[in-house]
Amino acid sequence: RELSQDVQRLEKVTERFSRIGSKPAIVNENLNKIIINVVEYLKSRTSSRVRFTVDTKSQIDVFAPVNAALFEWVIEVIAKNAIDAMEGRGDITIRITENESSAIVDISDTGKGIPKSLFKKIFNPGFTTKKRGWGLGLSLARRIIEEYHRGRIFVRSSEVGVGSCIRIIIKKN
């Protein structure tokens, strides 16, 4: 079962790379389902000291126009950065809400936090606080959300030593 999931994940990665430069298909998708799939995948590959919670507030499915494969990747990048910021121990909470015009996803962690002076810089290509890494994850996430999904991604809140919350807003139409 795990091997099958890994093969499916590799197929998605291959699909993503094969479509670089082409316009992705955007369809109305169930964000709750997409996010739960990502969390289930990450849970089985992350320390048991990392606790994931998906909060859908009203328990109503939230739909928005996205490319599921790319949106999954964005959630995965943010969650993996959170895991790194928490040094493999802590809580990640993903809240999915909506209003009349937008779907809203908040990804919070109990990690190191981000100084206010870096809120915008973390999305710049090449920016990283890690010893290893190219600093491309969040810049690609921003491009995927802003250019392909006509949305916004930003640091909603952060406190050094307490944790951070990254917000994604996708317009419904």
PDB file of all heavy atoms in Angstrom, residues 1-11 41 45:
ATOM      1  N   ARG A   1       0.829  -1.197   0.000  1.00  0.00           N
ATOM      2  CA  ARG A   1       0.000   0.000   0.000  1.00  0.00           C
ATOM      3  C   ARG A   1       0.872   1.259   0.000  1.00  0.00           C
ATOM      4  O   ARG A   1       0.624   2.191  -0.755  1.00  0.00           O
ATOM      5  CB  ARG A   1      -0.913  -0.039   1.226  1.00  0.00           C
ATOM      6  CG  ARG A   1      -1.898   1.088   1.246  1.00  0.00           C
ATOM      7  CD  ARG A   1      -2.935   0.879   2.357  1.00  0.00           C
ATOM      8  NE  ARG A   1      -3.762   2.034   2.460  1.00  0.00           N
ATOM      9  CZ  ARG A   1      -3.610   2.988   3.349  1.00  0.00           C
ATOM     10  NH1 ARG A   1      -2.657   2.910   4.245  1.00  0.00           N
ATOM     11  NH2 ARG A   1      -4.408   4.019   3.375  1.00  0.00           N
ATOM     12  N   GLU A   2       1.877   1.284   0.900  1.00  0.00           N
ATOM     13  CA  GLU A   2       2.779   2.440   0.975  1.00  0.00           C
ATOM     14  C   GLU A   2       3.564   2.605  -0.325  1.00  0.00           C
ATOM     15  O   GLU A   2       3.758   3.718  -0.807  1.00  0.00           O
ATOM     16  CB  GLU A   2       3.740   2.303   2.158  1.00  0.00           C
ATOM     17  CG  GLU A   2       3.080   2.464   3.511  1.00  0.00           C
ATOM     18  CD  GLU A   2       2.515   3.864   3.730  1.00  0.00           C
ATOM     19  OE1 GLU A   2       3.203   4.849   3.414  1.00  0.00           O
ATOM     20  OE2 GLU A   2       1.376   3.960   4.212  1.00  0.00           O
ATOM     21  N   LEU A   3       4.014   1.496  -0.869  1.00  0.00           N
ATOM     22  CA  LEU A   3       4.759   1.534  -2.126  1.00  0.00           C
ATOM     23  C   LEU A   3       3.884   2.091  -3.246  1.00  0.00           C
ATOM     24  O   LEU A   3       4.337   2.914  -4.051  1.00  0.00           O
ATOM     25  CB  LEU A   3       5.269   0.127  -2.478  1.00  0.00           C
ATOM     26  CG  LEU A   3       6.184   0.026  -3.685  1.00  0.00           C
ATOM     27  CD1 LEU A   3       7.431   0.872  -3.492  1.00  0.00           C
ATOM     28  CD2 LEU A   3       6.576  -1.427  -3.906  1.00  0.00           C
ATOM     29  N   SER A   4       2.631   1.688  -3.261  1.00  0.00           N
ATOM     30  CA  SER A   4       1.692   2.178  -4.264  1.00  0.00           C
ATOM     31  C   SER A   4       1.509   3.689  -4.134  1.00  0.00           C
ATOM     32  O   SER A   4       1.477   4.409  -5.132  1.00  0.00           O
ATOM     33  CB  SER A   4       0.348   1.463  -4.118  1.00  0.00           C
ATOM     34  OG  SER A   4      -0.583   1.996  -5.012  1.00  0.00           O
ATOM     35  N   GLN A   5       1.407   4.177  -2.899  1.00  0.00           N
ATOM     36  CA  GLN A   5       1.283   5.623  -2.679  1.00  0.00           C
ATOM     37  C   GLN A   5       2.530   6.363  -3.151  1.00  0.00           C
ATOM     38  O   GLN A   5       2.435   7.438  -3.732  1.00  0.00           O
ATOM     39  CB  GLN A   5       1.039   5.923  -1.199  1.00  0.00           C
ATOM     40  CG  GLN A   5      -0.380   5.686  -0.756  1.00  0.00           C
ATOM     41  CD  GLN A   5      -0.581   6.113   0.692  1.00  0.00           C
ATOM     42  OE1 GLN A   5       0.327   6.003   1.513  1.00  0.00           O
ATOM     43  NE2 GLN A   5      -1.775   6.590   1.001  1.00  0.00           N
ATOM     44  N   ASP A   6       3.695   5.785  -2.896  1.00  0.00           N
ATOM     45  CA  ASP A   6       4.940   6.423  -3.345  1.00  0.00           C
ATOM     46  C   ASP A   6       5.014   6.476  -4.870  1.00  0.00           C
ATOM     47  O   ASP A   6       5.447   7.476  -5.440  1.00  0.00           O
ATOM     48  CB  ASP A   6       6.154   5.676  -2.778  1.00  0.00           C
ATOM     49  CG  ASP A   6       6.373   5.965  -1.299  1.00  0.00           C
ATOM     50  OD1 ASP A   6       5.852   6.992  -0.802  1.00  0.00           O
ATOM     51  OD2 ASP A   6       7.044   5.156  -0.639  1.00  0.00           O
ATOM     52  N   VAL A   7       4.588   5.408  -5.521  1.00  0.00           N
ATOM     53  CA  VAL A   7       4.586   5.386  -6.994  1.00  0.00           C
ATOM     54  C   VAL A   7       3.624   6.446  -7.523  1.00  0.00           C
ATOM     55  O   VAL A   7       3.953   7.184  -8.463  1.00  0.00           O
ATOM     56  CB  VAL A   7       4.224   3.976  -7.527  1.00  0.00           C
ATOM     57  CG1 VAL A   7       3.945   4.019  -9.023  1.00  0.00           C
ATOM     58  CG2 VAL A   7       5.342   2.992  -7.218  1.00  0.00           C
ATOM     59  N   GLN A   8       2.447   6.562  -6.917  1.00  0.00           N
ATOM     60  CA  GLN A   8       1.493   7.589  -7.332  1.00  0.00           C
ATOM     61  C   GLN A   8       2.086   8.987  -7.137  1.00  0.00           C
ATOM     62  O   GLN A   8       1.922   9.862  -7.981  1.00  0.00           O
ATOM     63  CB  GLN A   8       0.190   7.466  -6.542  1.00  0.00           C
ATOM     64  CG  GLN A   8      -0.656   6.292  -6.947  1.00  0.00           C
ATOM     65  CD  GLN A   8      -1.884   6.123  -6.054  1.00  0.00           C
ATOM     66  OE1 GLN A   8      -2.028   6.786  -5.031  1.00  0.00           O
ATOM     67  NE2 GLN A   8      -2.759   5.220  -6.458  1.00  0.00           N
ATOM     68  N   ARG A   9       2.782   9.187  -6.041  1.00  0.00           N
ATOM     69  CA  ARG A   9       3.405  10.479  -5.770  1.00  0.00           C
ATOM     70  C   ARG A   9       4.472  10.786  -6.828  1.00  0.00           C
ATOM     71  O   ARG A   9       4.563  11.900  -7.331  1.00  0.00           O
ATOM     72  CB  ARG A   9       4.010  10.487  -4.361  1.00  0.00           C
ATOM     73  CG  ARG A   9       4.667  11.772  -3.977  1.00  0.00           C
ATOM     74  CD  ARG A   9       3.745  12.945  -3.939  1.00  0.00           C
ATOM     75  NE  ARG A   9       3.058  13.012  -2.680  1.00  0.00           N
ATOM     76  CZ  ARG A   9       1.966  13.729  -2.487  1.00  0.00           C
ATOM     77  NH1 ARG A   9       1.455  14.440  -3.436  1.00  0.00           N
ATOM     78  NH2 ARG A   9       1.390  13.753  -1.319  1.00  0.00           N
ATOM     79  N   LEU A  10       5.288   9.802  -7.176  1.00  0.00           N
ATOM     80  CA  LEU A  10       6.302   9.998  -8.217  1.00  0.00           C
ATOM     81  C   LEU A  10       5.656  10.319  -9.562  1.00  0.00           C
ATOM     82  O   LEU A  10       6.175  11.139 -10.321  1.00  0.00           O
ATOM     83  CB  LEU A  10       7.202   8.764  -8.329  1.00  0.00           C
ATOM     84  CG  LEU A  10       8.189   8.569  -7.184  1.00  0.00           C
ATOM     85  CD1 LEU A  10       8.880   7.205  -7.308  1.00  0.00           C
ATOM     86  CD2 LEU A  10       9.218   9.683  -7.159  1.00  0.00           C
ATOM     87  N   GLU A  11       4.530   9.691  -9.856  1.00  0.00           N
ATOM     88  CA  GLU A  11       3.818   9.990 -11.098  1.00  0.00           C
ATOM     89  C   GLU A  11       3.341  11.439 -11.100  1.00  0.00           C
ATOM     90  O   GLU A  11       3.426  12.124 -12.125  1.00  0.00           O
ATOM     91  CB  GLU A  11       2.633   9.037 -11.282  1.00  0.00           C
ATOM     92  CG  GLU A  11       3.067   7.628 -11.671  1.00  0.00           C
ATOM     93  CD  GLU A  11       1.931   6.613 -11.655  1.00  0.00           C
ATOM     94  OE1 GLU A  11       0.829   6.921 -11.122  1.00  0.00           O
ATOM     95  OE2 GLU A  11       2.149   5.505 -12.165  1.00  0.00           O
ATOM     96  N   TYR A  41      -0.613  11.624   3.487  1.00  0.00           N
ATOM     97  CA  TYR A  41       0.672  11.271   2.874  1.00  0.00           C
ATOM     98  C   TYR A  41       1.835  11.693   3.786  1.00  0.00           C
ATOM     99  O   TYR A  41       2.746  10.918   4.047  1.00  0.00           O
ATOM    100  CB  TYR A  41       0.796  11.932   1.497  1.00  0.00           C
ATOM    101  CG  TYR A  41       2.138  11.716   0.854  1.00  0.00           C
ATOM    102  CD1 TYR A  41       2.457  10.517   0.228  1.00  0.00           C
ATOM    103  CD2 TYR A  41       3.115  12.706   0.888  1.00  0.00           C
ATOM    104  CE1 TYR A  41       3.692  10.308  -0.356  1.00  0.00           C
ATOM    105  CE2 TYR A  41       4.357  12.510   0.316  1.00  0.00           C
ATOM    106  CZ  TYR A  41       4.638  11.310  -0.307  1.00  0.00           C
ATOM    107  OH  TYR A  41       5.874  11.109  -0.872  1.00  0.00           O
ATOM    108  N   ARG A  45       5.071   9.737   6.614  1.00  0.00           N
ATOM    109  CA  ARG A  45       6.471   9.957   6.281  1.00  0.00           C
ATOM    110  C   ARG A  45       7.137  10.968   7.208  1.00  0.00           C
ATOM    111  O   ARG A  45       8.195  11.499   6.914  1.00  0.00           O
ATOM    112  CB  ARG A  45       6.590  10.428   4.834  1.00  0.00           C
ATOM    113  CG  ARG A  45       6.354   9.298   3.874  1.00  0.00           C
ATOM    114  CD  ARG A  45       5.772   9.761   2.556  1.00  0.00           C
ATOM    115  NE  ARG A  45       5.488   8.611   1.715  1.00  0.00           N
ATOM    116  CZ  ARG A  45       4.406   7.856   1.815  1.00  0.00           C
ATOM    117  NH1 ARG A  45       3.497   8.114   2.725  1.00  0.00           N
ATOM    118  NH2 ARG A  45       4.216   6.819   1.005  1.00  0.00           N
TER     119      ARG A  45
END
